[in-house]
Amino acid sequence: MMNRTLKSTISMVAIAAMSIGALAACGSSTSGDDAKGKVYYLNFKPEAADQWTALAKEYTKETGTEVKVQTAASNTYEQTLKSEIAKTEAPTLFQVNGPVGYQNWKRYTADLSGTDVYKELTNQDVALKDGDKVVGVPYVMETYGIIYNKDILNKYFALDGAKAKSVDEIDNFDTLKAVADDMQARKDELGIKGAFTSAGFDSSSDWRFKTHLANLPLYYEFQKDKVTEQPATIKGTYLPNYKKIFDLYITDSTTDRTQLSAKTGDDANSEFALGEAAFYQNGTWAWTDLEKAGMKAESVGMMPIYIGVKGEENQGLATGSENYWCINDKASDADKKATEDFLKWVITSDIGKKALSEDMGFTTPFKTFDDVKFDNPLTEAAVEDQKSGKTQVSWNFTMMPSEEWKNKLGQALLEYAQGTGDWNAVKTAFVDGWASEYSATH
């Protein structure tokens, strides 16, 4: 699934280093005497550890190339990479989470512009670049927006005086608000508890608002000001828009705003799956839990998060990655070539494609996966959106200066929702908090 440090935290035990093939003894040279080269992948995702191990074993069997996979325990990737990269047998393949993570490892990233894994990207704009240098290639794309229950919406569209007659008409904030307000007013008629699921501020849910929703005002500000690197300060230009959508979430809701501190991600999932709400902000990764709770694929769709910005009718879903492959530039030429070949095989061979799309459940950004069918209706919605010609909202929360910034923003949002704080405190946490956290981390 996605990088869960931003989402529900996975508590997983450390997974010991897993070696495939007859590995050379630790400490032996990787200087490239072995013309064949070998691969050492430091994997970021504990939930995909077994699948990567099996894939590496298969590649070794097919090609004779040694592939070692080690998986860092949940929330320990950076420190594991620091210790591993210093070793003689350092990873040839590692990951960064985006522009901020890249800054720590820029001395180690090879230029991937000539590699097949870069050339096979459906949209090369999603690669991580430093000037003309391609420093990282995403292998998982994830998408979020407002998930909606088609059955409830169709029931609403059939009502006399409905504010829209089809979901296609909901392509801007004003229409979304008119529909949600009307659904809230007619909730008994529709058999729902509210238009939106609870905007819970328990740690299993609050990332949806302090990180994912906060991405929208950042996206528009960075786009307007042509910001491409983590800025030392931000203006908060689109905070009034952030307030509009957040107000909608907490007003047209299944839950009284004073009760939000204790509401969990499971609560929101359950409310949506039981048909108690029509709208639920979340992403492609949510389908597994919704399906477990009894939802049918044909009942679920996903629309962009509209916040009232001019031209948003042409806005798509929020699509991005926190999982970029990087090749260690300090590895021998033979090991770099072996790593490039391994990645090419992973994204072009039937075995590799099945492992990524089915066994690991990833939505991948490569042309070689165009024939892959997904069991996930939210992924299907994401793929359709990417082909629609609309402009996807990029993931700018990878530039947020720290977890502390998010936590203080989340606290201010909760206090505002409960009525114990005002919106100025949200603005302070957003703008002033960014400057102070940037300063503290630099």
Side-chain angles (χ1 to χ4, degrees):
M1 215 173 94
M2 62 287 160
N3 172 354
R4 300 205 193 197
T5 56
L6 286 172
K7 305 170 182 98
S8 52
T9 306
I10 318 163
S11 54
M12 292 195 69
V13 292
I15 298 167
M18 286 165 284
S19 307
I20 293 84
L23 283 171
C26 272
S28 63
S29 171
T30 53
S31 62
D33 303 332
D34 175 1
K36 193 171 180 62
K38 44 191 181 293
V39 181
Y40 169 14
Y41 178 32
L42 185 63
N43 169 41
F44 171 76
K45 288 179 170 288
E47 63 270 36
D50 294 344
Q51 292 91 331
W52 275 113
T53 303
L55 200 54
K57 196 174 281 181
E58 193 61 43
Y59 186 69
T60 300
K61 192 168 89 179
E62 225 176 87
T63 64
T65 301
E66 288 175 14
V67 182
K68 170 184 173 178
V69 176
Q70 176 168 331
T71 298
S74 189
N75 297 331
T76 67
Y77 192 80
E78 285 286 300
Q79 68 197 62
T80 306
L81 181 54
K82 272 178 191 155
S83 67
E84 289 300 303
I85 208 105
K87 294 178 179 175
T88 312
E89 297 258 3
T92 63
L93 181 64
F94 63 93
Q95 286 175 236
V96 297
N97 70 348
V100 177
Y102 164 66
Q103 294 305 318
N104 296 333
W105 302 105
K106 60 196 300 181
R107 290 186 302 119
Y108 292 90
T109 52
D111 187 357
L112 305 180
S113 54
T115 62
D116 288 289
V117 79
Y118 172 66
K119 291 173 186 170
E120 289 292 353
L121 283 172
T122 305
N123 173 9
Q124 293 184 334
D125 291 344
V126 300
L128 191 59
K129 293 174 182 160
D130 188 344
D132 293 333
K133 184 181 174 188
V134 177
V135 295
V137 171
Y139 65 92
V140 185
M141 297 302 286
E142 290 169 326
T143 298
Y144 67 90
I146 296 173
I147 303 171
Y148 59 88
N149 183 316
K150 292 179 180 178
D151 305 328
I152 297 173
L153 281 187
N154 288 335
K155 188 175 179 181
Y156 169 74
F157 296 143
L159 295 178
D160 286 343
K163 304 297 181 185
K165 287 298 177 190
S166 84
V167 76
D168 296 334
E169 291 177 32
I170 307 175
D171 63 358
N172 60 81
F173 176 79
D174 289 343
T175 308
L176 175 64
K177 178 170 166 41
V179 167
D181 286 352
D182 198 31
M183 290 179 89
Q184 191 73 17
R186 302 166 82 170
K187 62 186 182 183
D188 293 342
E189 216 176 326
L190 291 166
I192 60 175
K193 291 187 178 177
F196 284 88
T197 59
S198 54
F201 273 81
D202 169 87
S203 63
S204 64
S205 175
D206 67 347
W207 50 267
R208 295 187 294 135
F209 316 110
K210 69 185 186 185
T211 302
H212 281 185
L213 191 61
N215 182 70
L216 273 295
L218 288 176
Y219 164 75
Y220 281 111
E221 179 173 330
F222 291 172
Q223 195 181 45
K224 182 171 184 268
D225 297 342
K226 298 182 170 51
V227 172
T228 56
E229 292 180 353
Q230 185 187 35
T233 59
I234 57 173
K235 298 173 188 167
T237 312
Y238 294 92
L239 278 171
N241 303 83
Y242 187 38
K243 181 178 185 296
K244 281 206 281 196
I245 186 68
F246 187 64
D247 281 347
L248 194 63
Y249 284 2
I250 61 177
T251 305
D252 294 350
S253 170
T254 56
T255 306
D256 187 274
R257 53 199 293 172
T258 59
Q259 306 300 311
L260 294 178
S261 64
K263 285 287 175 181
T264 67
D266 285 343
D267 289 330
N269 183 79
S270 174
E271 291 158 18
F272 189 73
L274 291 172
E276 294 174 357
F279 300 115
Y280 172 35
Q281 187 204 298
N282 216 327
T284 44
W285 54 85
W287 175 241
T288 312
D289 289 334
L290 290 173
E291 189 177 33
K292 275 183 199 157
M295 286 213 85
K296 297 283 180 281
E298 59 270 21
S299 298
V300 178
M302 184 159 52
M303 68 174 74
I305 300 171
Y306 298 112
I307 64 171
V309 175
K310 191 180 174 190
E312 67 183 352
E313 294 82 3
N314 299 313
Q315 173 199 310
L317 297 163
T319 294
S321 184
E322 291 184 288
N323 298 277
Y324 294 86
W325 278 327
C326 303
I327 292 178
N328 185 353
D329 203 30
K330 299 191 186 299
S332 70
D333 289 345
D335 288 355
K336 280 192 270 196
K337 175 74 169 61
T339 304
E340 287 178 25
D341 290 346
F342 173 63
L343 289 181
K344 179 183 178 181
W345 178 84
V346 167
I347 67 157
T348 59
S349 71
D350 289 342
I351 292 169
K353 284 161 64 177
K354 178 185 179 296
L356 287 186
S357 62
E358 291 180 34
D359 304 341
M360 301 184 207
F362 296 160
T363 310
T364 52
F366 305 107
K367 290 181 277 197
T368 50
F369 285 76
D370 283 352
D371 59 342
V372 171
K373 294 279 180 276
F374 297 99
D375 294 333
N376 181 339
L378 301 177
T379 298
E380 283 176 13
V383 171
E384 274 175 39
D385 186 67
Q386 285 161 39
K387 293 176 178 173
S388 68
K390 291 189 172 182
T391 304
Q392 271 72 50
V393 170
S394 58
W395 284 17
N396 299 278
F397 54 79
T398 54
M399 294 200 214
M400 289 173 179
S402 67
E403 281 299 313
E404 184 64 11
W405 181 82
K406 295 180 213 171
N407 292 339
K408 285 186 172 166
L409 177 62
Q411 189 57 39
L413 283 169
L414 174 60
E415 287 172 8
Y416 167 73
Q418 292 179 151
T420 54
D422 62 15
W423 189 256
N424 282 332
V426 175
K427 189 174 180 180
T428 301
F430 199 90
V431 179
D432 300 348
W434 186 291
S436 60
E437 282 302 305
Y438 180 92
S439 171
T441 53
H442 288 70

